Coordinates of all heavy atoms in Angstrom, one line a residue:
M1 N -75.5 47.4 -29.1 CA -75.3 48.4 -28.1 C -75.4 49.8 -28.6 O -75.5 50.7 -28.0 CB -74.0 48.1 -27.5 CG -73.7 49.0 -26.2 SD -72.8 48.4 -24.9 CE -73.6 47.0 -24.4
G2 N -75.4 50.0 -29.9 CA -75.7 51.3 -30.5 C -74.4 52.1 -30.8 O -74.4 53.1 -31.3
A3 N -73.2 51.5 -30.4 CA -71.9 52.3 -30.5 C -71.2 51.9 -31.8 O -70.1 52.3 -32.0 CB -71.0 52.0 -29.3
I4 N -71.8 51.0 -32.6 CA -71.1 50.6 -33.8 C -71.0 51.8 -34.8 O -72.0 52.5 -35.1 CB -72.0 49.5 -34.6 CG1 -72.0 48.2 -33.7 CG2 -71.4 49.1 -35.9 CD1 -72.8 47.1 -34.1
G5 N -69.8 52.0 -35.2 CA -69.5 53.1 -36.1 C -69.2 54.5 -35.3 O -69.0 55.4 -36.0
A6 N -69.3 54.4 -34.1 CA -69.1 55.7 -33.2 C -67.6 56.1 -33.4 O -66.7 55.3 -33.4 CB -69.5 55.5 -31.8
V7 N -67.4 57.4 -33.5 CA -66.1 58.0 -33.6 C -66.0 58.9 -32.4 O -66.8 59.8 -32.2 CB -65.9 58.7 -34.8 CG1 -64.5 59.4 -34.9 CG2 -66.0 57.9 -36.0
F8 N -65.0 58.7 -31.6 CA -64.8 59.5 -30.3 C -63.5 60.4 -30.5 O -62.4 59.9 -31.0 CB -64.6 58.6 -29.1 CG -65.8 57.7 -28.8 CD1 -65.8 56.3 -29.0 CD2 -67.0 58.4 -28.4 CE1 -66.9 55.6 -28.7 CE2 -68.1 57.6 -28.2 CZ -68.1 56.3 -28.4
Q9 N -63.6 61.6 -30.1 CA -62.5 62.5 -30.1 C -61.5 62.1 -29.0 O -61.9 61.5 -28.0 CB -63.0 64.0 -29.8 CG -63.9 64.4 -31.0 CD -63.2 64.5 -32.4 OE1 -62.0 64.8 -32.6 NE2 -63.9 64.0 -33.4
P10 N -60.2 62.4 -29.2 CA -59.2 62.0 -28.1 C -59.5 62.6 -26.8 O -59.3 61.8 -25.8 CB -57.9 62.8 -28.7 CG -58.1 63.0 -30.1 CD -59.6 63.1 -30.3
E11 N -60.1 63.7 -26.6 CA -60.5 64.3 -25.3 C -61.5 63.4 -24.7 O -61.4 63.0 -23.5 CB -61.0 65.7 -25.4 CG -60.0 66.7 -25.9 CD -59.8 66.7 -27.4 OE1 -60.8 66.2 -28.1 OE2 -58.9 67.2 -27.9
L12 N -62.4 62.9 -25.4 CA -63.5 62.0 -24.9 C -62.9 60.7 -24.5 O -63.3 60.0 -23.5 CB -64.7 61.9 -25.9 CG -65.8 61.0 -25.4 CD1 -66.3 61.5 -24.1 CD2 -66.9 60.9 -26.5
I13 N -62.0 60.1 -25.3 CA -61.3 58.9 -25.1 C -60.6 58.9 -23.7 O -60.7 58.0 -22.9 CB -60.4 58.5 -26.2 CG1 -61.2 58.2 -27.4 CG2 -59.6 57.2 -25.8 CD1 -60.5 57.9 -28.6
E14 N -59.9 60.0 -23.5 CA -59.2 60.3 -22.3 C -60.2 60.4 -21.1 O -60.0 59.8 -20.1 CB -58.4 61.6 -22.2 CG -57.5 61.7 -21.1 CD -56.5 60.5 -20.9 OE1 -56.0 60.0 -21.8 OE2 -56.3 60.2 -19.6
L15 N -61.4 61.0 -21.3 CA -62.3 61.1 -20.3 C -62.9 59.7 -19.9 O -63.0 59.4 -18.8 CB -63.5 62.0 -20.7 CG -64.8 62.1 -19.8 CD1 -64.4 62.7 -18.4 CD2 -65.9 62.8 -20.4
M16 N -63.2 58.9 -21.0 CA -63.8 57.6 -20.8 C -62.8 56.7 -20.0 O -63.1 55.9 -19.1 CB -64.1 57.0 -22.1 CG -65.4 57.6 -22.7 SD -66.0 56.7 -24.1 CE -64.7 56.9 -25.3
R17 N -61.5 56.9 -20.3 CA -60.4 56.1 -19.7 C -60.4 56.4 -18.2 O -60.2 55.6 -17.3 CB -59.1 56.4 -20.3 CG -57.9 55.6 -19.7 CD -56.7 55.7 -20.4 NE -56.7 55.2 -21.7 CZ -56.2 55.8 -22.9 NH1 -55.9 57.1 -22.8 NH2 -56.4 55.3 -24.0
A18 N -60.4 57.7 -17.9 CA -60.4 58.1 -16.5 C -61.6 57.7 -15.7 O -61.5 57.2 -14.6 CB -60.4 59.7 -16.4
V19 N -62.8 57.7 -16.4 CA -64.1 57.1 -15.8 C -63.9 55.7 -15.5 O -64.3 55.3 -14.5 CB -65.3 57.5 -16.7 CG1 -66.5 56.7 -16.1 CG2 -65.5 59.0 -16.7
L20 N -63.4 55.0 -16.5 CA -63.2 53.5 -16.3 C -62.3 53.2 -15.1 O -62.5 52.4 -14.2 CB -62.6 52.9 -17.5 CG -62.3 51.4 -17.5 CD1 -63.5 50.6 -17.2 CD2 -61.6 51.0 -18.8
D21 N -61.1 54.0 -15.0 CA -60.2 53.8 -13.9 C -60.9 54.1 -12.6 O -60.8 53.3 -11.6 CB -59.1 54.8 -14.1 CG -58.1 54.2 -15.2 OD1 -58.3 53.1 -15.7 OD2 -57.2 55.1 -15.6
D22 N -61.7 55.3 -12.5 CA -62.4 55.7 -11.3 C -63.4 54.6 -10.9 O -63.5 54.3 -9.7 CB -63.1 57.0 -11.5 CG -62.1 58.2 -11.5 OD1 -60.9 58.0 -11.3 OD2 -62.6 59.3 -12.0
A23 N -64.1 54.1 -11.9 CA -65.3 53.1 -11.5 C -64.6 51.9 -11.1 O -65.1 51.2 -10.2 CB -66.1 52.9 -12.9
T24 N -63.5 51.5 -11.7 CA -62.9 50.2 -11.3 C -62.3 50.2 -9.9 O -62.5 49.2 -9.2 CB -61.7 49.8 -12.3 OG1 -62.2 49.8 -13.6 CG2 -61.1 48.6 -11.9
V25 N -61.8 51.3 -9.5 CA -61.4 51.5 -8.1 C -62.4 51.3 -7.1 O -62.3 50.8 -6.0 CB -60.6 52.9 -7.9 CG1 -60.3 53.1 -6.5 CG2 -59.4 52.9 -8.8
L26 N -63.6 51.7 -7.4 CA -64.7 51.6 -6.5 C -65.1 50.1 -6.3 O -66.0 49.8 -5.3 CB -65.9 52.4 -7.1 CG -65.7 53.9 -7.0 CD1 -66.9 54.6 -7.7 CD2 -65.5 54.4 -5.7
L27 N -64.8 49.2 -7.1 CA -65.2 47.8 -7.0 C -64.3 47.1 -5.9 O -63.2 47.5 -5.7 CB -65.0 47.0 -8.3 CG -65.9 47.3 -9.5 CD1 -65.5 46.6 -10.8 CD2 -67.3 47.1 -9.1
P28 N -64.8 46.2 -5.2 CA -63.9 45.3 -4.3 C -62.7 44.8 -5.1 O -62.8 44.5 -6.3 CB -64.8 44.2 -3.8 CG -66.2 44.7 -4.1 CD -66.2 45.6 -5.3
E29 N -61.6 44.8 -4.6 CA -60.4 44.4 -5.2 C -60.5 43.0 -6.0 O -60.0 42.9 -7.1 CB -59.1 44.3 -4.3 CG -57.9 44.2 -5.1 CD -56.7 44.5 -4.1 OE1 -56.8 45.0 -3.1 OE2 -55.6 44.1 -4.5
A30 N -61.2 42.0 -5.3 CA -61.4 40.7 -6.0 C -62.2 40.7 -7.2 O -62.2 39.8 -8.0 CB -61.9 39.8 -4.9
K31 N -63.1 41.8 -7.4 CA -63.9 42.0 -8.6 C -63.3 42.8 -9.7 O -63.9 43.0 -10.7 CB -65.2 42.5 -8.1 CG -65.9 41.8 -7.0 CD -66.2 40.3 -7.4 CE -66.9 39.6 -6.2 NZ -66.9 38.3 -6.3
R32 N -62.1 43.2 -9.4 CA -61.5 44.1 -10.5 C -60.8 43.3 -11.6 O -59.6 43.4 -11.8 CB -60.4 45.0 -9.8 CG -61.0 46.1 -8.9 CD -60.0 46.9 -8.3 NE -60.5 47.6 -7.1 CZ -59.8 48.1 -6.1 NH1 -58.5 48.1 -6.2 NH2 -60.4 48.7 -5.1
T33 N -61.6 42.4 -12.2 CA -61.1 41.6 -13.2 C -61.1 42.2 -14.6 O -61.8 43.2 -14.8 CB -61.9 40.2 -13.2 OG1 -63.3 40.5 -13.6 CG2 -61.9 39.5 -11.9
S34 N -60.5 41.6 -15.5 CA -60.5 42.2 -16.9 C -61.9 42.0 -17.5 O -62.4 42.8 -18.2 CB -59.5 41.4 -17.7 OG -59.8 40.1 -17.8
T35 N -62.6 41.0 -17.1 CA -64.0 40.8 -17.6 C -64.8 41.9 -17.0 O -65.7 42.5 -17.8 CB -64.6 39.4 -17.2 OG1 -63.7 38.4 -17.6 CG2 -66.0 39.3 -17.5
M36 N -64.8 42.2 -15.8 CA -65.6 43.2 -15.2 C -65.2 44.6 -15.7 O -66.1 45.4 -15.9 CB -65.4 43.2 -13.6 CG -66.4 44.2 -12.9 SD -68.1 43.9 -13.1 CE -68.3 42.4 -12.2
K37 N -63.9 44.8 -15.9 CA -63.4 46.0 -16.5 C -64.0 46.2 -17.9 O -64.3 47.3 -18.2 CB -61.9 46.2 -16.5 CG -61.4 47.5 -16.6 CD -59.9 47.5 -16.2 CE -59.3 48.8 -16.4 NZ -57.9 48.9 -16.1
A38 N -64.0 45.2 -18.7 CA -64.6 45.3 -20.0 C -66.1 45.6 -20.0 O -66.6 46.3 -20.8 CB -64.3 43.9 -20.8
E39 N -66.7 44.9 -19.1 CA -68.2 45.2 -18.9 C -68.4 46.7 -18.6 O -69.4 47.3 -19.1 CB -68.8 44.3 -17.9 CG -70.3 44.4 -17.7 CD -71.1 43.7 -18.8 OE1 -70.5 42.9 -19.6 OE2 -72.2 44.2 -19.1
I40 N -67.7 47.2 -17.7 CA -67.8 48.6 -17.3 C -67.5 49.4 -18.4 O -68.3 50.5 -18.8 CB -66.9 49.0 -16.1 CG1 -67.4 48.2 -14.9 CG2 -66.9 50.5 -15.9 CD1 -66.4 48.3 -13.7
A41 N -66.5 49.2 -19.3 CA -66.1 49.9 -20.4 C -67.1 49.9 -21.4 O -67.3 51.0 -22.1 CB -64.8 49.4 -21.0
S42 N -67.8 48.8 -21.6 CA -68.9 48.8 -22.5 C -70.0 49.6 -22.3 O -70.5 50.3 -23.1 CB -69.4 47.2 -22.5 OG -70.5 47.1 -23.4
H43 N -70.3 49.8 -21.0 CA -71.5 50.6 -20.6 C -71.0 52.1 -20.8 O -71.9 53.0 -21.1 CB -71.9 50.3 -19.1 CG -72.6 49.0 -19.0 ND1 -73.9 48.8 -19.4 CD2 -72.3 47.9 -18.5 CE1 -74.2 47.7 -19.2 NE2 -73.3 47.0 -18.7
I44 N -69.8 52.4 -20.4 CA -69.3 53.8 -20.6 C -69.3 54.2 -22.1 O -69.8 55.2 -22.4 CB -67.8 53.9 -20.0 CG1 -67.9 53.8 -18.5 CG2 -67.2 55.3 -20.4 CD1 -66.5 53.6 -17.9
L45 N -68.9 53.3 -22.9 CA -68.9 53.5 -24.4 C -70.3 53.7 -24.9 O -70.6 54.6 -25.8 CB -68.3 52.3 -25.2 CG -66.7 52.3 -25.1 CD1 -66.3 50.9 -25.6 CD2 -66.1 53.4 -26.0
A46 N -71.3 52.9 -24.5 CA -72.6 53.0 -24.9 C -73.2 54.4 -24.5 O -73.9 55.1 -25.3 CB -73.5 51.8 -24.2
C47 N -73.0 54.8 -23.2 CA -73.5 56.1 -22.8 C -72.8 57.3 -23.5 O -73.5 58.1 -24.0 CB -73.2 56.3 -21.2 SG -74.2 55.2 -20.3
A48 N -71.5 57.2 -23.8 CA -70.8 58.2 -24.5 C -71.4 58.2 -25.9 O -71.5 59.4 -26.6 CB -69.3 58.0 -24.6
A49 N -71.6 57.1 -26.6 CA -72.2 57.1 -27.9 C -73.6 57.7 -28.0 O -73.9 58.2 -29.1 CB -72.2 55.6 -28.4
K50 N -74.3 57.8 -26.9 CA -75.6 58.4 -26.8 C -75.4 59.9 -26.6 O -76.5 60.6 -26.4 CB -76.4 57.8 -25.8 CG -76.9 56.3 -26.2 CD -77.6 55.7 -25.0 CE -78.0 54.4 -25.3 NZ -78.7 53.6 -24.1
G51 N -74.2 60.4 -26.3 CA -74.0 61.8 -26.1 C -73.6 62.2 -24.7 O -73.4 63.4 -24.5
E52 N -73.5 61.3 -23.8 CA -73.2 61.7 -22.5 C -71.7 62.1 -22.4 O -70.9 61.4 -22.9 CB -73.4 60.6 -21.4 CG -73.2 60.9 -20.0 CD -74.1 62.1 -19.5 OE1 -75.3 61.9 -19.5 OE2 -73.5 63.1 -19.2
R53 N -71.4 63.3 -21.7 CA -70.1 63.7 -21.6 C -69.7 64.1 -20.2 O -68.5 64.5 -20.0 CB -69.9 65.0 -22.5 CG -70.1 64.7 -24.0 CD -69.1 63.7 -24.6 NE -69.2 63.5 -26.0 CZ -69.8 62.6 -26.6 NH1 -70.4 61.7 -25.8 NH2 -69.9 62.4 -27.8
N54 N -70.5 63.9 -19.3 CA -70.3 64.2 -17.8 C -69.7 62.9 -17.2 O -70.2 62.0 -17.2 CB -71.7 64.6 -17.2 CG -71.4 64.9 -15.7 OD1 -71.3 64.0 -14.9 ND2 -71.4 66.2 -15.4
A55 N -68.6 63.2 -16.6 CA -67.8 62.1 -16.0 C -68.6 61.3 -14.9 O -68.6 60.2 -14.8 CB -66.4 62.6 -15.4
V56 N -69.3 62.1 -14.1 CA -70.0 61.6 -12.9 C -71.2 60.7 -13.5 O -71.4 59.6 -13.0 CB -70.5 62.6 -12.0 CG1 -71.5 62.0 -11.0 CG2 -69.3 63.3 -11.4
A57 N -71.9 61.3 -14.5 CA -73.0 60.6 -15.1 C -72.5 59.3 -15.8 O -73.1 58.2 -15.7 CB -73.7 61.5 -16.1
L58 N -71.4 59.4 -16.5 CA -70.8 58.1 -17.1 C -70.5 57.1 -16.1 O -70.8 55.8 -16.3 CB -69.5 58.5 -18.1 CG -69.9 59.2 -19.2 CD1 -68.6 59.7 -19.8 CD2 -70.6 58.3 -20.2
R59 N -69.8 57.5 -15.0 CA -69.4 56.5 -14.0 C -70.7 55.9 -13.3 O -70.8 54.7 -13.1 CB -68.6 57.2 -13.0 CG -68.1 56.2 -11.9 CD -67.1 56.9 -10.9 NE -67.8 57.9 -10.2 CZ -67.2 59.1 -10.0 NH1 -66.1 59.4 -10.3 NH2 -67.9 60.0 -9.2
M60 N -71.6 56.7 -13.1 CA -72.9 56.2 -12.4 C -73.6 55.3 -13.2 O -74.1 54.2 -12.9 CB -73.8 57.4 -12.0 CG -73.2 58.2 -10.8 SD -72.8 57.2 -9.3 CE -74.5 56.6 -8.9
A61 N -73.7 55.6 -14.6 CA -74.4 54.7 -15.5 C -73.8 53.4 -15.6 O -74.4 52.3 -15.6 CB -74.5 55.3 -16.8
A62 N -72.5 53.4 -15.7 CA -71.7 52.1 -15.8 C -71.9 51.3 -14.6 O -72.0 50.1 -14.6 CB -70.2 52.5 -16.2
L63 N -71.6 52.0 -13.3 CA -71.6 51.2 -12.1 C -73.0 50.7 -11.8 O -73.2 49.6 -11.3 CB -71.1 52.0 -11.0 CG -69.6 52.2 -11.0 CD1 -69.1 53.2 -9.9 CD2 -68.8 50.8 -10.9
S64 N -74.0 51.5 -12.2 CA -75.4 51.1 -11.9 C -75.7 49.8 -12.8 O -76.4 49.0 -12.3 CB -76.4 52.2 -12.3 OG -76.2 53.3 -11.4
A65 N -75.4 49.9 -13.9 CA -75.6 48.7 -14.9 C -74.9 47.5 -14.4 O -75.5 46.4 -14.5 CB -75.2 49.0 -16.3
I66 N -73.8 47.6 -13.8 CA -73.0 46.6 -13.3 C -73.7 45.9 -12.1 O -73.9 44.8 -11.9 CB -71.6 46.9 -12.9 CG1 -70.8 47.2 -14.3 CG2 -70.8 45.8 -12.3 CD1 -70.7 46.1 -15.2
V67 N -74.0 46.9 -11.2 CA -74.7 46.5 -9.9 C -76.1 45.8 -10.3 O -76.4 44.7 -9.7 CB -74.9 47.7 -9.0 CG1 -75.8 47.3 -7.9 CG2 -73.6 48.2 -8.5
E68 N -76.8 46.3 -11.2 CA -78.1 45.7 -11.5 C -78.0 44.4 -12.2 O -78.9 43.5 -12.0 CB -78.9 46.7 -12.4 CG -79.3 47.9 -11.5 CD -79.9 49.0 -12.3 OE1 -80.3 48.8 -13.6 OE2 -80.1 50.1 -11.8
C69 N -77.0 44.1 -13.0 CA -77.0 43.0 -13.8 C -76.1 41.8 -13.2 O -75.9 40.9 -13.9 CB -76.7 43.3 -15.2 SG -74.9 43.7 -15.5
T70 N -75.5 42.1 -12.1 CA -74.5 41.1 -11.5 C -75.0 40.7 -10.1 O -75.8 41.4 -9.4 CB -73.2 41.5 -11.5 OG1 -73.0 42.6 -10.5 CG2 -72.7 41.9 -12.9
H71 N -74.5 39.7 -9.6 CA -74.7 39.3 -8.2 C -73.7 39.9 -7.3 O -73.6 39.6 -6.1 CB -74.6 37.7 -8.1 CG -73.4 37.2 -8.5 ND1 -73.1 36.9 -9.8 CD2 -72.4 36.7 -7.7 CE1 -71.8 36.4 -9.9 NE2 -71.4 36.3 -8.7
Y72 N -72.9 40.9 -7.9 CA -71.8 41.5 -7.1 C -72.4 42.7 -6.3 O -71.6 43.3 -5.6 CB -70.7 41.9 -8.0 CG -70.0 40.9 -8.8 CD1 -69.8 41.0 -10.1 CD2 -69.7 39.7 -8.0 CE1 -69.1 40.0 -10.8 CE2 -69.0 38.7 -8.7 CZ -68.7 38.8 -10.1 OH -68.0 37.9 -10.7
S73 N -73.6 43.1 -6.4 CA -74.1 44.2 -5.8 C -73.9 44.2 -4.3 O -73.8 45.2 -3.7 CB -75.5 44.5 -6.2 OG -76.4 43.4 -5.7
H74 N -74.0 43.0 -3.7 CA -73.9 42.9 -2.3 C -72.4 43.2 -1.8 O -72.2 43.5 -0.7 CB -74.3 41.5 -1.8 CG -73.4 40.5 -2.3 ND1 -73.6 39.9 -3.5 CD2 -72.4 39.8 -1.7 CE1 -72.7 38.9 -3.6 NE2 -71.9 38.8 -2.6
D75 N -71.5 43.2 -2.7 CA -70.1 43.5 -2.4 C -69.8 44.9 -2.3 O -68.7 45.3 -1.9 CB -69.2 42.7 -3.4 CG -69.1 41.3 -3.2 OD1 -69.6 40.8 -2.2 OD2 -68.8 40.6 -4.3
I76 N -70.7 45.8 -2.9 CA -70.3 47.2 -3.1 C -71.1 47.9 -1.9 O -72.3 47.9 -1.9 CB -70.7 47.7 -4.4 CG1 -70.0 47.1 -5.5 CG2 -70.4 49.3 -4.4 CD1 -70.4 47.4 -6.9
S77 N -70.3 48.5 -1.0 CA -71.0 49.1 0.2 C -71.9 50.4 -0.4 O -71.7 51.0 -1.4 CB -69.9 49.7 1.1 OG -69.2 50.8 0.5
P78 N -72.9 50.7 0.5 CA -73.8 51.8 0.1 C -72.9 53.2 -0.1 O -73.3 53.9 -0.9 CB -74.7 52.0 1.4 CG -74.7 50.6 1.9 CD -73.3 50.0 1.7
E79 N -71.9 53.3 0.7 CA -71.0 54.5 0.6 C -70.4 54.5 -0.8 O -70.3 55.7 -1.5 CB -69.9 54.6 1.6 CG -70.5 54.6 3.0 CD -70.9 53.4 3.5 OE1 -70.4 52.3 3.2 OE2 -71.7 53.4 4.5
R80 N -70.0 53.4 -1.3 CA -69.4 53.4 -2.7 C -70.4 53.5 -3.8 O -70.1 54.0 -4.8 CB -68.6 52.0 -2.8 CG -67.3 52.0 -2.1 CD -66.6 50.7 -2.4 NE -65.2 50.8 -1.8 CZ -64.3 49.9 -2.0 NH1 -64.5 48.8 -2.7 NH2 -63.1 50.1 -1.5
R81 N -71.6 53.1 -3.5 CA -72.6 53.2 -4.5 C -73.0 54.6 -4.7 O -73.4 55.0 -5.8 CB -73.9 52.4 -4.1 CG -73.7 50.9 -4.3 CD -75.0 50.3 -3.9 NE -74.7 48.9 -3.5 CZ -75.5 48.1 -2.9 NH1 -76.8 48.5 -2.6 NH2 -75.2 46.9 -2.6
A82 N -72.9 55.4 -3.7 CA -73.4 56.8 -3.7 C -72.2 57.8 -4.1 O -71.8 58.7 -3.4 CB -73.9 57.2 -2.4
V83 N -71.5 57.4 -5.2 CA -70.4 58.3 -5.6 C -70.8 59.4 -6.5 O -71.7 59.3 -7.2 CB -69.3 57.4 -6.3 CG1 -68.6 56.6 -5.5 CG2 -69.9 56.6 -7.5

């Protein structure tokens, strides 16, 4: 994933945590599993390791990756996708 050996400052860790929480809330409640949360966190970490620091961009990248690689995309309304 490219994040091996990455070091994140406390401010970025807090930003990533907030993005994870925001992204998780956008999922249907039944899909807010620890597995899904870990998958979202993985994408957030990968984007942050590449230098992304914008909360909206991090959230969109994580959710887009989840929607594209799972069969859950039909559960997320168009309104929720356009965050």
Side-chain angles (χ1 to χ4, degrees):
M1 188 147 301
I4 296 174
V7 176
F8 299 114
Q9 298 299 317
E11 297 82 18
L12 179 56
I13 293 170
E14 186 57 38
L15 172 66
M16 291 187 296
R17 181 177 293 130
V19 168
L20 176 61
D21 290 343
D22 291 347
T24 302
V25 168
L26 295 174
L27 295 173
E29 192 169 342
K31 305 301 181 195
R32 295 179 198 165
T33 64
S34 58
T35 301
M36 186 61 71
K37 200 169 180 180
E39 186 70 23
I40 293 170
S42 175
H43 289 288
I44 292 169
L45 285 166
C47 288
K50 292 177 185 174
E52 184 60 64
R53 299 297 184 262
N54 179 283
V56 174
L58 288 169
R59 183 176 64 223
M60 289 302 297
L63 289 174
S64 294
I66 294 299
V67 168
E68 290 172 11
C69 72
T70 68
H71 60 280
Y72 298 133
S73 61
H74 65 278
D75 290 338
I76 302 175
S77 69
E79 295 81 27
R80 287 185 170 184
R81 288 185 203 164
V83 285

